[in-house]
Amino acid sequence: MPAQIIETNTAAFNAVDINTITLDIIENALRNAREEMDATLFRTAMSPGIREQGDAFPLIADRRGKMIVGQFGSFLDGFLNGYEGTIEAGDMVWLSDPYSCEGAVSHNNDWLIILPIFREGRLTAWACMFGHMTDIGGKVPGSLPTDALSVFEEGIRIPPIKIYKKGELQEDILKLVLHQTRMPEWCRADLHAIIASCRVAEKRIHEICERFGDDFLASATDELLERNKRAMGHLINTAVSESKVSFEDYICDDGRGHGPYKIKCTMWRTGEKVILDFDGTDPQAMGSINFYLNENMLKMFFGIYMVMVFDPQVMFNDGFYDLVDVRIPQGSLLKPDFPAALSCRTHALGRIFDVLGALLGQGQPEFLNAAGFSSSPHLMFSGHHEDTGEWFQLFQIGFGGIPGRPWGDGADGHSLWPGFTNVPNEFLERYFPMRITEYTSLADSGGAGQNRGGNGILMTYEFLNAGIISIHDDRWFTYPWGVNGGEPGSRSRKILRKGDGSEVILPSKCDNIHVEKGDQLDYITWGGGGWGNPLKRDASLVALEVARGLVSVEAASTLYGVVLNTDGSVDIKATETKRASKVDTDKTREIFNFGPDINELRANAIAETGLAAPIAPKW
Amino acid sequence: MAYRLGVDVGGTFTDLLLIHEETGKTWRDKVPSTPQDPSIAVVNGTKAITATAGIAPSEITQFLHGTTVATNAVLEGKGAKTGLIVTNGYRQILQVARSLVPGGLAAWIVWPKPEPLAALENTVEVSGRLDGQGHEVSPVDAAQVRQALENLKGQGLEALTICLMNSYLDGRHELEIASIARDIFPDIPVSLSHEILPEMQEYERALTSVANSLVRPVMAMYVSNLRRELRALGMAGRMNLLRSDGGLMGSEKAENAPVNLLMSGPAGGVTGALWVSRKAKLDNILTLDVGGTSTDVALIENGAPRLRRETSVGHLTVRASSLDVKTVGAGGGSIAHVPELTGALRVGPESAGAVPGPACYGKGGEHPTVTDAHVVLGNLPGALLGGSFKLDRDAATQAVQTIADALSVTLEEAAQGIIDIANENIYGALRLVSVQQGYDPRDFALMGFGGAGSLHSNAVGKLMGSYPVIIPVSPGVLCATGDATTQMRYEHARSFNKGISKTSDAEVAKWLAEMKEIVHRELEDEGVARNDQIVTFEAGVRYMGQGFEVDMELALPDFEAGIGTAVLKDAFDAEHKRLFTFNLDVEHEIVNLRAVALGQGAEMPASALADGNSDPSAAVVSDHEMWVEGEKCPAKIYDRTKLRAGNNVPGPCIVCEMDSTAVILPGHVGTVDAFGNIHINPVNAA
């Protein structure tokens, strides 16, 4: 039975005519309120994951729960369907269990606050925010065990409960939950920050209603949704074909030695509707890479991608949801059965974006981007300070190469996620026992192309205190693909150098790796795929990038066909000859260049990566 | 006799305002800018205005100046070629940046990949390392540094920047390397990050320091030339430049830290508007500074402009305080054109600038500009600058006719179209500072100034519903007014980074007293007597573990009396609760301390206007014709100097004065206030 909303005033909102200027003002005021939510959160939160890296997502929805501003789309539907209880003025809901809200949040670390905004007895709007907690207990620091077999190993699970009941903070619940984490102070501050940011939105909603009237807000949000639906309807009609296109990509392994896992999606249009069908996606994994994908969230991803690829001027909200039909097979990697482990879903979440981009671009390769930095790799480092005995715990997100694009080169060492930034190394060095001795993008790691894929990052951590680390990464086995003649980007690697000079290749996903004072970790992320034939890249630009240390002399010659003189300038004649000979031998290229096939990858895994190939999963 | 001279260099004109400090009597002038070397116009203008006032340049005791030299160098990509010296392992500090792709989900698809401000081929790594607490891990290896710097020779560098890891804690390695750098590159300026921005966060510190290097040679050349020329004239007074944050700084300091002047020009307009708004008793104002090449807009709420902890120029954003001003490339010199492909009418961003200028200036310009459209519509009189600058009406007509032909419309329709599109662009900029910040423009008055602000302000005010539309006194030299009336300001900040339990009132008091002495001396060096200075203190405070601090005011006597930290704790908790709705039971951390010394501004008295009645007819110069909304209307030309307080000036008309022309539209009336400002309202509301 769905949630029961208690309104003491059941009068319907009156429809009012709103002129364009007022509509624009209301839309901008809501957008601004959303930005204020972010600002409040970043200013008051404590964990670097939230306040530096922006791993938190705000949302303001209309009275029906449709997102008006935000970026992951509204997940309120899922919550309302699953919540058995009442919602009334003064209540505030807290949850983290993906299975309780149809994947509104997708692992236990994301704490979601849902605040219904009532005015004079009527539900008027919703403000929500979720943020990633550094630690919520469970078997490993960080609470994202790479080898978990069920969600019960992944820290505390919070079903939808009221943290505020009729305006009253439920202190005992808070105490109970914070007792489970290794970082209660950060969690307390971060939770308060999330609540405060929802309160900001609530205040702004009241102000807007006082200024324009409650009926105006209701009519304005209706009109904003309708406006978006019209624009998206037009875009869908022109950009999506009625014939089916499919695309498949992989998650390399499940953290338990099995893989790769396939994600497959087929897209077509029927009338005004787009269908996104994940039939053919592999069944759920035994390990924690499963991603409980909320359908509405996917609609928003799809909508935003389409807008960005074809017409960046369109403003988006939930208005177009009826135009998209998402089908995800139950029991698959993207809709696993309870109690499948979910904590390491970041890889599948990221890969979805590569899949969507490939689907949308396939029909019109001029709009197609190469495979991007489709994950957010993590490093966890924790332990007790040798001198004080105090506990420290770091959760850090890494970055990599933006893919080559029709618009140009991909950026080196950047983030595909909105609002994510790196943590300043000076901050890490001041507050954690570590030193960052090298921080650079890695030459040649971006796929060669007419538009080069961005390079991945090499970050070398020197640990100044013993502790344990966890690593979460992917694309160590399959390649970030290139398109339209571009080469794939290079794969990720992790190398631990011990004090005695020995080197260990660490798995892409691992926990409980002990490090000693003085050990060094090379954390290498993958590069973006290249776009277009590298032989068409401006030779002088290739030479310049060699001087800049972004491309090597060898790669300039072998991949770009550019021969350099000893002073670094282009040997024009030799380059022309070399490029001409390569064009002749070059067979017609496919749209996608995935690199070697899975069998070849398996055969060469140890030699190329230092790690054994994953075992093919069996169901 | 003591005089202050405010000078603002715009893209088209250089504006001057001379104030007699005791009487408040003012003189103003306007000379064409000289973009190749802006100091020429400044010197010419200084000669002209002192001649008009009948004084010798030696009687000027303070020369106050807003300049866009640094801004333009950034916008036009003409900054210095800058070398960057970084810690081993950090060569790509600007390439990787903060890894942030601006915009929402999938914004990377259309994001243009930026080029680093200091090219990678001009960036070298050096030895020497401090740890995160400021202790030395490894010393500077002079031989290695020398070798690395030698590699940069032959790159044609014009400036150098040194930014080392953790130098915000201790600048000794930067200083060591700087002395080697000065040895190898004796002729180029070296900017050190711990001096430019002594704050944690290596990327922001590097970027801001490189931006400083970028504009340093051009600013040094400009300021030293100007100083030499003015001294040659006999001007012995102090030279102060307006910073982006609206405060003044001495010209020598400005030469070394020009990153603080990137928005100097626009800041003059906002400080000038503030001066007018205080006199006109208006608290909420949108400012609209329409120059020859661009338009700057800002929002003043409750008598205070918005201050930001950063400065943005074009795509560059650095950590230096600035007033929140937005700029669009639409001005009087913006060129109208009709691209063949689309057949649409476009205005700007190309500008005819000061040379050759609009067609009507008769200096060889042939392209139709916004100013030419105004001439065609009758929004400008036959001559500007009090009659000394004749407008070539035929040339304007000829130029605008090319647009009319391309669009197959009448001459006047083409002219109106050009103005409408320019107004729409300006409207867009005003929306950025109002609607998009959640402000309703209908709650604000609109003040247009700059050479062309009053030509557009009535039409733009009508679009936005912002009334009254204010035509300030001397709108053409309002920026110079701001330069001349604002205060000297010096700020000194230090990282503190201690929990309150780990410090004491005595320790904080000692720091504050030291900092007070430093800012006092700095302003004394600038000629402001200690008695004329006001010093205030601030601390950045947060709960230990948070990433951002809240700025709290401090009182030195509290700390001397031993109650300072207790007062601060309570005040912070209260402020945190007010801002964010909650408190935490966590230690308070004092992140940094700041002392600010302010000198007194010239309290330039606004001269009151003689009272008159509502009838403005005594100020009528002649009958006139204007094209408004496709129709030719009978109109009048008024001489602003003849208007009296209380006059009601009905539209349609133009109001002319020496340096500016204002348009009042049909259906509107302008009421003259006691200081001469004109308040335009719709007739039915007036």
Side-chain angles (χ1 to χ4, degrees):
Chain A
M1 173 177 149
Q4 189 194 345
I5 291 166
I6 299 180
E7 293 179 297
T8 54
N9 173 358
T10 53
F13 289 94
N14 295 317
V16 285
D17 270 341
I18 297 179
N19 65 36
T20 318
I21 292 181
T22 309
L23 191 63
D24 284 350
I25 290 173
I26 292 176
E27 185 181 25
N28 280 298
L30 289 169
R31 194 171 308 238
N32 200 53
R34 194 212 111 176
E35 276 163 23
E36 267 188 84
M37 291 175 80
D38 277 340
T40 301
L41 181 74
F42 298 154
R43 291 195 61 177
T44 57
M46 281 197 183
S47 65
I50 288 185
R51 65 184 173 75
E52 298 282 350
Q53 309 211 291
D55 193 354
F57 297 90
L59 158 78
I60 299 174
D62 76 351
R63 62 200 186 282
R64 300 189 188 96
K66 296 243 180 216
M67 182 189 92
I68 306 298
V69 290
Q71 48 196 355
F72 270 23
S74 184
F75 34 67
L76 277 160
D77 256 5
F79 155 69
L80 291 169
N81 290 340
Y83 184 65
E84 296 185 7
T86 57
I87 302 276
E88 56 192 308
D91 288 350
M92 182 189 281
V93 175
W94 179 21
L95 68 86
S96 77
D97 174 17
Y99 290 107
S100 71
C101 56
E102 300 178 2
V105 291
S106 50
H107 60 183
N108 296 341
N109 284 67
D110 286 340
W111 283 4
L112 169 62
I113 288 291
I114 297 174
L115 174 61
I117 302 170
F118 286 84
R119 286 179 59 78
E120 289 162 10
R122 282 194 294 191
L123 180 61
T124 308
W126 299 83
C128 310
M129 167 83 88
F130 69 86
H132 181 111
M133 296 298 132
T134 297
D135 191 286
I136 50 160
K139 65 192 271 192
V140 293
S143 320
L144 306 171
T146 53
D147 63 348
L149 289 167
S150 91
V151 73
F152 294 105
E153 296 172 58
E154 301 175 323
I156 186 166
R157 302 163 56 229
I158 308 169
I161 51 171
K162 292 180 185 173
I163 177 76
Y164 280 86
K165 227 179 230 175
K166 296 185 184 173
E168 200 72 24
L169 176 65
Q170 306 299 295
E171 294 271 9
D172 282 353
I173 290 177
L174 189 56
K175 210 183 271 179
L176 177 70
V177 171
L178 294 178
H179 200 64
Q180 314 303 314
T181 101
R182 294 174 182 83
M183 300 295 287
E185 269 186 10
W186 281 10
C187 287
R188 179 193 295 276
D190 288 356
L191 179 68
H192 274 299
I194 290 173
I195 291 173
S197 72
C198 290
R199 293 281 187 215
V200 166
E202 180 184 36
K203 202 167 155 204
R204 296 293 171 254
I205 291 289
H206 283 301
E207 282 172 8
I208 290 168
C209 287
E210 277 152 25
R211 198 158 112 195
F212 298 99
D214 298 17
D215 290 335
F216 266 77
L217 179 67
S219 290
T221 50
D222 289 351
E223 175 56 26
L224 289 171
L225 292 166
E226 191 53 39
R227 190 154 89 171
N228 172 264
K229 186 177 178 182
R230 281 195 300 269
M232 289 295 288
H234 179 73
L235 203 51
I236 286 171
N237 245 311
T238 51
V240 181
S241 154
E242 293 195 294
S243 53
K244 294 185 176 181
V245 287
S246 287
F247 190 76
E248 301 174 4
D249 204 340
Y250 295 91
I251 308 297
C252 295
D253 72 297
D254 65 357
R256 301 187 58 87
H258 309 103
Y261 288 82
K262 183 169 67 185
I263 294 175
K264 179 178 180 181
C265 187
T266 305
M267 174 180 79
W268 71 96
R269 181 169 58 83
T270 308
E272 64 167 5
K273 265 198 175 186
V274 178
I275 291 98
L276 294 164
D277 189 342
F278 285 90
D279 188 36
T281 297
D282 277 349
Q284 67 193 61
M286 200 192 283
S288 55
I289 57 165
N290 299 298
F291 173 35
Y292 193 141
L293 175 57
N294 178 279
E295 279 89 352
N296 280 349
M297 199 178 278
L298 187 82
K299 288 180 186 179
M300 182 52 60
F301 295 165
F302 169 79
I304 293 172
Y305 253 58
M306 200 158 75
V307 161
M308 281 298 169
V309 169
F310 296 111
D311 185 358
Q313 301 309 314
V314 178
M315 302 284 187
F316 49 83
N317 57 37
D318 276 3
F320 69 97
Y321 273 15
D322 294 346
L323 302 176
V324 186
D325 183 5
V326 177
R327 300 172 189 173
I328 307 172
Q330 187 67 42
S332 71
L333 190 77
L334 300 176
K335 190 174 269 197
D337 292 326
F338 177 80
L342 302 171
S343 61
C344 298
R345 56 83 175 108
T346 187
H347 314 294
L349 169 58
R351 209 58 33 81
I352 291 286
F353 289 99
D354 277 352
V355 172
L356 284 177
L359 279 177
L360 285 167
Q362 247 178 92
Q364 290 149 289
E366 66 275 21
F367 287 115
L368 180 63
N369 299 291
F373 185 63
S374 53
S375 179
S376 49
H378 308 337
L379 174 75
M380 279 80 154
F381 173 44
S382 60
H384 291 94
H385 282 284
E386 279 161 16
D387 41 358
T388 62
E390 273 176 52
W391 175 253
F392 63 86
Q393 184 173 337
L394 174 72
F395 156 58
Q396 195 181 10
I397 296 172
F399 301 105
I402 304 289
R405 311 161 294 161
W407 275 67
D409 290 353
D412 303 310
H414 272 60
S415 172
L416 283 181
W417 297 103
F420 277 36
T421 68
N422 56 21
V423 176
N425 290 333
E426 287 181 343
F427 176 88
L428 294 178
E429 293 190 4
R430 180 146 182 104
Y431 294 103
F432 293 92
M434 52 169 47
R435 189 170 303 134
I436 314 304
T437 56
E438 177 125 43
Y439 190 64
T440 184
S441 89
L442 197 59
D444 298 338
S445 57
Q450 185 179 345
N451 295 337
R452 178 172 66 80
N455 286 331
I457 288 226
L458 161 63
M459 186 165 178
T460 302
Y461 297 88
E462 181 179 341
F463 301 105
L464 305 177
N465 198 105
I468 63 165
I469 61 172
S470 297
I471 291 171
H472 296 225
D473 205 354
D474 202 56
R475 286 281 196 217
W476 64 275
F477 180 67
T478 64
Y479 281 87
W481 32 269
V483 296
N484 298 337
E487 297 287 334
S490 74
R491 297 175 289 181
S492 66
R493 262 175 306 153
K494 309 289 174 283
I495 304 159
L496 183 63
R497 268 191 307 282
K498 304 295 290 181
D500 63 8
S502 62
E503 285 190 358
V504 191
I505 307 289
L506 295 178
S508 187
K509 302 175 181 67
C510 57
D511 284 312
N512 291 318
I513 306 292
H514 286 265
V515 294
E516 301 301 321
K517 182 173 182 171
D519 285 0
Q520 292 194 333
L521 173 69
D522 285 346
Y523 196 102
I524 299 165
T525 61
W526 76 85
W531 184 97
N533 187 343
L535 298 178
K536 291 189 181 157
R537 187 168 175 84
D538 178 1
S540 58
L541 181 56
V542 174
L544 184 60
E545 294 213 316
V546 170
R548 291 178 169 177
L550 299 169
V551 171
S552 69
V553 175
E554 303 73 54
S557 164
T558 55
L559 294 173
Y560 292 96
V562 174
V563 185
L564 300 179
N565 296 312
T566 44
D567 68 353
S569 62
V570 179
D571 181 335
I572 295 172
K573 198 133 192 236
T575 297
E576 274 171 10
T577 312
K578 179 140 201 160
R579 285 188 156 183
S581 72
K582 284 184 85 95
V583 171
D584 284 342
T585 58
D586 208 30
K587 56 181 188 290
T588 313
R589 293 178 189 244
E590 305 280 328
I591 293 181
F592 296 100
N593 180 350
F594 295 98
D597 66 27
I598 301 279
N599 289 331
E600 199 179 332
L601 292 177
R602 281 189 191 289
N604 297 330
I606 294 247
E608 289 176 357
T609 70
L611 298 170
I615 302 158
K618 291 199 179 72
W619 294 283
Chain B
M1 297 284 264
Y3 291 85
R4 287 184 164 223
L5 177 62
V7 181
D8 177 74
V9 176
T12 313
F13 287 109
T14 293
D15 304 324
L16 301 100
L17 182 83
L18 183 70
I19 308 177
H20 184 235
E21 289 201 329
E22 285 98 67
T23 63
K25 183 168 163 58
T26 62
W27 295 263
R28 47 191 153 125
D29 207 343
K30 206 173 188 61
V31 295
S33 287
T34 46
Q36 317 75 4
D37 178 0
S39 65
I40 296 171
V42 176
V43 172
N44 290 343
T46 305
K47 283 181 194 163
I49 201 164
T50 47
T52 313
I55 67 163
S58 59
E59 292 178 77
I60 298 171
T61 51
Q62 293 217 56
F63 177 88
L64 310 143
H65 184 30
T67 170
T68 51
V69 166
T71 326
N72 291 341
V74 172
L75 287 177
E76 292 161 15
K78 290 177 184 158
K81 192 169 186 185
T82 300
L84 174 60
I85 300 162
V86 296
T87 301
N88 271 332
Y90 283 84
R91 187 184 178 202
Q92 293 197 25
I93 185 169
L94 297 184
Q95 182 80 8
V96 173
R98 290 297 303 277
S99 295
L100 174 77
V101 173
L105 199 61
W108 60 267
I109 292 175
V110 295
W111 184 57
K113 178 181 175 180
E115 284 291 324
L117 215 49
L120 261 178
E121 61 270 29
N122 298 327
T123 304
V124 293
E125 296 181 346
V126 292
S127 57
R129 186 69 151 90
L130 300 182
D131 71 13
Q133 320 307 320
H135 306 126
E136 186 172 79
V137 178
S138 59
V140 172
D141 171 353
Q144 184 275 333
V145 173
R146 205 162 269 283
Q147 184 56 50
L149 292 181
E150 290 288 349
N151 289 341
L152 284 179
K153 274 193 152 179
Q155 292 285 59
L157 298 182
E158 297 160 300
L160 271 181
T161 312
I162 303 173
C163 180
L164 304 180
M165 282 296 285
N166 297 317
S167 69
Y168 71 99
L169 292 164
D170 186 336
R172 62 189 153 149
H173 283 178
E174 288 191 357
L175 290 167
E176 259 183 76
I177 288 163
S179 76
I180 300 173
R182 291 196 177 101
D183 201 29
I184 297 174
F185 295 93
D187 301 323
I188 65 175
V190 183
S191 296
L192 309 185
S193 78
H194 77 278
E195 292 177 353
I196 297 296
L197 182 70
E199 284 181 21
M200 183 192 281
Q201 298 203 347
E202 64 275 13
Y203 169 73
E204 285 76 6
R205 197 169 67 248
L207 183 71
T208 303
S209 307
V210 168
N212 194 64
S213 287
L214 198 72
V215 294
R216 209 165 145 183
V218 64
M219 274 298 281
M221 165 119 53
Y222 172 68
V223 173
S224 60
N225 280 351
L226 186 59
R227 196 185 298 122
R228 196 180 53 244
E229 297 282 327
L230 289 172
R231 295 285 182 249
L233 278 184
M235 203 291 289
R238 296 196 166 271
M239 269 181 75
N240 292 319
L241 300 191
L242 189 69
R243 275 197 315 255
S244 315
D245 65 4
L248 289 164
M249 81 195 293
S251 66
E252 287 84 359
K253 294 210 166 58
E255 274 179 61
N256 292 330
V259 73
N260 295 304
L261 275 81
L262 287 175
M263 289 296 270
S264 167
V270 178
T271 52
L274 265 179
W275 180 79
V276 172
S277 64
R278 277 200 297 269
K279 304 291 172 198
K281 305 232 177 325
L282 290 164
D283 284 338
N284 292 340
I285 292 191
L286 289 162
T287 68
L288 174 60
D289 178 358
V290 184
T293 49
S294 64
T295 293
D296 298 320
V297 304
L299 180 137
I300 296 173
E301 189 194 21
N302 294 326
R306 289 161 61 98
L307 190 69
R308 309 165 66 211
R309 273 291 171 86
E310 47 185 31
T311 305
S312 301
V313 177
H315 295 296
L316 174 67
T317 297
V318 296
R319 285 271 168 94
S321 297
S322 69
L323 301 180
D324 190 5
V325 176
K326 296 273 184 295
T327 301
V328 285
S334 294
I335 293 171
H337 59 114
V338 180
E340 253 176 67
L341 192 63
T342 55
L345 174 59
R346 300 261 181 263
V347 178
E350 293 78 14
S351 168
V355 181
C360 62
Y361 284 11
K363 286 187 190 166
E366 288 177 356
H367 295 297
T369 65
V370 170
T371 304
D372 294 313
H374 280 302
V375 170
V376 167
L377 294 175
N379 293 342
L380 284 166
L384 300 179
L385 299 184
S388 67
F389 192 106
K390 293 264 184 290
L391 292 177
D392 186 341
R393 200 185 149 77
D394 290 343
T397 305
Q398 223 168 20
V400 176
Q401 189 63 47
T402 61
I403 298 293
D405 293 346
L407 295 174
S408 308
V409 297
T410 68
L411 175 70
E412 288 79 13
E413 281 169 345
Q416 188 63 54
I418 293 169
I419 303 293
D420 286 348
I421 285 178
N423 285 343
E424 200 59 38
N425 291 344
I426 293 168
Y427 176 48
L430 281 163
R431 284 176 52 90
L432 285 180
V433 296
S434 58
V435 174
Q436 292 205 6
Q437 305 292 333
Y439 295 103
D440 188 336
R442 290 170 288 197
D443 297 337
F444 289 77
L446 177 69
M447 188 184 297
F449 52 91
S454 315
L455 284 172
H456 292 266
S457 56
N458 197 168
V460 173
K462 191 176 161 191
L463 272 179
M464 303 209 307
S466 300
Y467 289 111
V469 171
I470 306 288
I471 301 170
V473 283
S474 317
V477 296
L478 198 74
C479 292
T481 308
D483 297 342
T485 55
T486 192
Q487 297 159 293
M488 287 295 289
R489 185 174 189 278
Y490 186 81
E491 183 179 310
H492 178 66
R494 285 185 184 177
S495 288
F496 193 78
N497 290 102
K498 276 190 192 176
I500 275 185
S501 71
K502 305 248 163 59
T503 182
S504 65
D505 278 54
E507 188 186 23
V508 176
K510 182 168 156 280
W511 279 58
L512 294 181
E514 279 173 26
M515 294 170 70
K516 183 179 183 189
E517 188 55 31
I518 288 172
V519 295
H520 265 321
R521 278 210 215 116
E522 285 287 341
L523 274 204
E524 276 176 345
D525 283 355
E526 302 293 347
V528 183
R530 212 169 263 233
N531 286 341
D532 291 338
Q533 297 179 17
I534 300 166
V535 177
T536 54
F537 301 99
E538 271 182 8
V541 185
R542 64 187 177 197
Y543 289 121
M544 192 72 92
Q546 289 181 329
F548 289 84
E549 54 274 6
V550 176
D551 290 332
M552 304 296 301
E553 280 183 27
L554 302 180
L556 179 52
D558 283 353
F559 289 89
E560 286 164 347
I563 56 166
T565 49
V567 169
L568 181 60
K569 259 161 82 169
D570 288 349
F572 173 80
D573 284 344
E575 183 65 4
H576 197 276
K577 185 144 200 175
R578 189 184 74 77
L579 288 170
F580 307 120
T581 71
F582 68 96
N583 289 138
L584 293 171
D585 187 17
V586 173
E587 161 131 77
H588 299 68
E589 181 184 10
I590 300 180
V591 182
N592 50 45
L593 296 171
R594 257 188 315 281
V596 179
L598 280 174
Q600 288 176 336
E603 213 14 79
M604 182 174 90
S607 38
L609 210 58
D611 273 343
N613 57 20
S614 64
D615 177 12
S617 53
V620 172
V621 178
S622 66
D623 285 337
H624 185 63
E625 276 178 344
M626 289 166 73
W627 283 83
V628 184
E629 285 165 14
E631 281 185 44
K632 194 187 258 192
C633 313
K636 296 209 183 308
I637 298 181
Y638 290 90
D639 177 353
R640 187 156 186 194
T641 59
K642 293 188 177 146
L643 289 174
R644 293 293 168 257
N647 283 173
N648 282 332
V649 188
C653 69
I654 59 178
V655 181
C656 300
E657 59 191 304
M658 191 279 288
D659 55 8
S660 173
T661 304
V663 169
I664 301 179
L665 294 175
H668 290 74
V669 61
T671 306
V672 182
D673 74 13
F675 303 104
N677 302 305
I678 302 176
H679 300 226
I680 302 174
N681 281 295
V683 169
N684 51 10

